[in-house]
Amino acid sequence: MKFSALVQSELETINTTQIADWLTKKSQTEREYKRLSEDFKAIVIMQEAGFYEQADMRFSQWKNKGIPAELQRYRLAIAGKAGGKRLVKKRFSMLPAAVQNHPQLKPWKKQLQSNRWMLGGLLVAGLAVLGLFQLDFSQPEEVPVVTNQENVEQKLAALEKEVEQLKEKNEQLTEQAPVKSKDTTKPKETAKPKATTDAKKTLSPEETLKQAIAATQEKDYKSANRLLTGTVLTDDATKGMARFYQLIAGGKLGETKQTDYVAYREDFPDSGYMSDVLWMQAVYEQKNKVGDYKATLEELAKQPDNEWSYAAQAILDGKSTLGEE
């Protein structure tokens, strides 16, 4: 498998939801994992939005803690997107020997094995720095090991279940609808949007949001955008996060406007995603030559220290760029 194919495969098959759940569980008993749990949510958003360099930099700020091999693979895949094989070599060489030799990292090791320097001095230096960082892979209850094949099978099973549910709903609708001779000649595809819409209406706001987030993580932005309408945007328990994911999905589809970001910030001034929204707004303003993206970056730079505020300050200082100037 080519390096680029491995990177893409990892990003598409690794179950980030499972990793997030694991970090959340760990944070309930070990306070040190609370920061990692919050960071990971932001990293997933950065990765989904295509900000790989920022996601990799945020990962590099993590203190050495035991994490699942699947999460290490995710880190390497993001590094691959951010800086290619050279950056992956650097990240891999800093991992402890126990992690480098873990079965789940075998494809990565195979990709990099031809580079003798990685297995030599720099590896020794890396181990010296991370000598106290030991993963315990003998505890499956704490470190879930899920292979790529199992991930694919889980996703296929979920999709098959959803298809069956939609088929049943469609059959119910067909039985209830008046019989019209003209309808019998219509292709089946014309009934699918109606079934999908009706199925969505039966979901609670919480379940709708859950499906929308899952669709976003699968990069199915059209489905996410279609789900994020109606009560999920008005229910007190879901509207804040729903509006945020609506910005992500709509942005990917080119359907957001500058006013959408401004409206979110006005409606949710205490949002934990404020830095993310400011960043997305600045990107939109710079790309579409709307408003003053530098003013937005200045506001972002004033936010509590995080990867977005660091990046904004670097751009303002002339050390980096937001995109095409």
Side-chain angles (χ1 to χ4, degrees), residues 53-106:
E53 292 182 4
Q54 290 81 2
D56 174 71
M57 190 177 298
R58 192 149 188 166
F59 258 139
S60 67
Q61 295 172 358
W62 282 26
K63 293 182 179 180
N64 303 322
K65 298 294 296 182
I67 57 177
E70 193 170 31
L71 180 47
Q72 296 285 15
R73 290 162 46 208
Y74 186 62
R75 293 180 66 173
L76 293 174
I78 288 177
K81 282 285 190 178
K85 184 175 286 189
R86 182 184 297 274
L87 184 58
V88 174
K89 292 175 186 175
K90 180 179 179 181
R91 299 289 183 254
F92 191 87
S93 69
M94 297 299 290
L95 296 176
V99 181
Q100 291 189 4
N101 294 319
H102 190 273
Q104 284 202 41
L105 271 73
K106 185 176 180 180

Side-chain angles (χ1 to χ4, degrees), residues 30-318:
E30 299 184 43
R31 187 173 57 184
E32 295 83 357
Y33 281 88
K34 185 174 183 180
R35 166 72 184 279
L36 304 188
S37 179
E38 293 301 318
D39 263 3
F40 185 73
K41 296 174 185 177
I43 287 170
V44 171
I45 293 171
M46 292 178 191
Q47 179 258 308
E48 292 172 350
F51 300 121
Y52 302 109
E53 292 182 4
Q54 290 81 2
D56 174 71
M57 190 177 298
R58 192 149 188 166
F59 258 139
S60 67
Q61 295 172 358
W62 282 26
K63 293 182 179 180
N64 303 322
K65 298 294 296 182
I67 57 177
E70 193 170 31
L71 180 47
Q72 296 285 15
R73 290 162 46 208
Y74 186 62
R75 293 180 66 173
L76 293 174
I78 288 177
K81 282 285 190 178
K85 184 175 286 189
R86 182 184 297 274
L87 184 58
V88 174
K89 292 175 186 175
K90 180 179 179 181
R91 299 289 183 254
F92 191 87
S93 69
M94 297 299 290
L95 296 176
V99 181
Q100 291 189 4
N101 294 319
H102 190 273
Q104 284 202 41
L105 271 73
K106 185 176 180 180
W108 288 103
K109 187 174 182 180
K110 185 177 180 180
Q111 282 285 340
L112 306 171
Q113 233 172 2
S114 60
N115 300 280
R116 298 180 180 276
W117 63 267
M118 184 187 64
L119 300 178
L122 286 181
L123 175 57
V124 174
L127 292 176
V129 173
L130 301 182
L132 299 179
F133 175 35
Q134 298 294 330
L135 290 182
D136 183 4
F137 292 103
S138 64
Q139 299 181 14
E141 70 280 3
E142 292 189 0
V143 183
V145 177
V146 180
T147 64
N148 286 349
Q149 182 178 355
E150 289 171 337
N151 270 330
V152 172
E153 291 174 351
Q154 290 174 2
K155 291 179 180 179
L156 287 176
L159 287 173
E160 289 173 357
K161 183 178 180 180
E162 183 177 352
V163 170
E164 289 301 320
Q165 291 175 343
L166 289 175
K167 284 182 178 179
E168 293 176 3
K169 187 67 177 179
N170 192 31
E171 291 173 357
Q172 293 174 4
L173 292 171
T174 302
E175 293 173 356
Q176 296 173 2
V179 178
K180 294 183 180 180
S181 58
K182 292 181 179 180
D183 290 341
T184 60
T185 61
K186 292 182 180 180
K188 292 177 66 178
E189 284 73 14
T190 58
K192 288 183 179 179
K194 185 176 187 301
T196 301
T197 302
D198 289 347
K200 183 191 69 174
K201 290 180 180 178
T202 65
L203 299 175
S204 67
E206 290 79 5
E207 184 60 30
T208 301
L209 175 59
K210 183 178 180 181
Q211 289 195 14
I213 292 175
T216 303
Q217 293 174 340
E218 294 293 331
K219 297 181 176 59
D220 185 1
Y221 302 112
K222 289 185 178 180
S223 294
N225 212 33
R226 185 169 60 248
L227 286 163
L228 294 170
T229 57
T231 56
V232 71
L233 296 174
T234 58
D235 186 86
D236 289 339
T238 59
K239 61 183 180 181
M241 187 168 289
R243 285 273 297 278
F244 175 68
Y245 275 90
Q246 187 181 47
L247 289 177
I248 295 176
K252 283 294 184 179
L253 296 172
E255 297 180 2
T256 55
K257 299 179 181 178
Q258 181 199 33
T259 52
D260 295 325
Y261 301 106
V262 175
Y264 177 91
R265 290 165 49 202
E266 292 176 347
D267 293 342
F268 306 99
D270 299 323
S271 170
Y273 298 115
M274 187 60 67
S275 294
D276 304 84
V277 174
L278 282 166
W279 177 266
M280 288 190 287
Q281 180 180 333
V283 171
Y284 177 90
E285 291 172 339
Q286 192 277 336
K287 181 179 180 180
N288 295 280
K289 311 301 180 186
V290 177
D292 186 352
Y293 79 91
K294 289 187 177 180
T296 304
L297 288 176
E298 289 174 355
E299 188 171 351
L300 174 55
K302 297 176 183 177
Q303 292 289 309
D305 289 349
N306 57 57
E307 183 54 37
W308 297 124
S309 63
Y310 296 149
Q313 191 60 57
I315 294 169
L316 293 171
D317 292 341

